[in-house]
Amino acid sequence: MTKKQKRLVKFILWICILAVGGKITFTYFNSHTIDSYGLFTISIFIASLLELHTFGKTSYLGGNNVEEQKDELEEHIVKVSSKISYFALMVVVLIILAVSEYGKGEEDKTNVPLMLVFCATIVTLPFVQFLVSKKYK
């Protein structure tokens, strides 16, 4: 991807982020609801923008060429950041669970879907490590 193409993609991503962010804000102020599809869309755009800034390519938007090889630094960054992000996600889900459970003052009701997500974050890394170890044994 040339510098000119990267600048164009960055510009388009920023326009998309601002447009979807504006729609989410407009929807929230008009109907007092948060557009979950808008949040999903904006997260993809932000992830693509961050990946473009980090590695100079975007795999979320189909810009990843199969023939391109990852260099050692990129592989190291991906390996270290994936484990850190796993534990960061676990902490974020725990904080959201705690706020949703005890923020309302209703300690009798449990947000079961959110509790299932938290439990899944606890089990995911060991399960994936188990599957990968079976591949190499």
Side-chain angles (χ1 to χ4, degrees):
M1 190 179 277
T2 65
K3 274 191 159 194
K4 191 173 185 180
Q5 290 173 331
K6 287 180 188 177
R7 279 189 298 182
L8 178 64
V9 171
K10 285 179 189 178
F11 178 73
I12 292 171
L13 284 171
W14 275 112
I15 294 297
C16 292
I17 289 169
L18 292 173
V20 174
K23 182 190 178 300
I24 291 170
T25 306
F26 181 76
T27 304
Y28 179 74
F29 284 128
N30 281 335
S31 63
H32 300 291
T33 59
I34 296 175
D35 182 17
S36 60
Y37 296 114
L39 288 176
F40 176 73
T41 305
I42 203 166
S43 67
I44 297 245
F45 289 144
I46 291 172
S48 297
L49 186 66
L50 289 171
E51 187 178 31
L52 185 64
H53 279 292
T54 305
F55 299 116
K57 59 185 176 183
T58 57
S59 61
Y60 289 103
L61 300 176
N64 193 8
N65 190 356
V66 177
E67 298 170 358
E68 291 179 6
Q69 293 290 334
K70 291 183 180 180
D71 61 348
E72 289 182 28
L73 179 61
E74 184 177 348
E75 287 181 9
H76 179 68
I77 290 170
V78 169
K79 185 186 295 183
V80 170
S81 63
S82 65
K83 195 152 188 181
I84 292 171
S85 64
Y86 166 76
F87 288 111
L89 179 63
M90 187 184 298
V91 170
V92 167
V93 170
L94 177 63
I95 291 170
I96 292 171
L97 178 64
V99 168
S100 72
E101 289 297 314
Y102 301 111
K104 297 181 229 175
E106 301 173 7
E107 295 182 20
D108 295 338
K109 291 185 177 181
T110 301
N111 188 346
V112 176
L114 193 55
M115 181 58 83
L116 288 173
V117 169
F118 179 65
C119 294
T121 62
I122 293 171
V123 175
T124 301
L125 182 64
F127 182 70
V128 170
Q129 288 173 341
F130 171 76
L131 291 178
V132 170
S133 71
K134 289 294 182 186
K135 179 182 175 184
Y136 291 108
K137 286 185 179 182

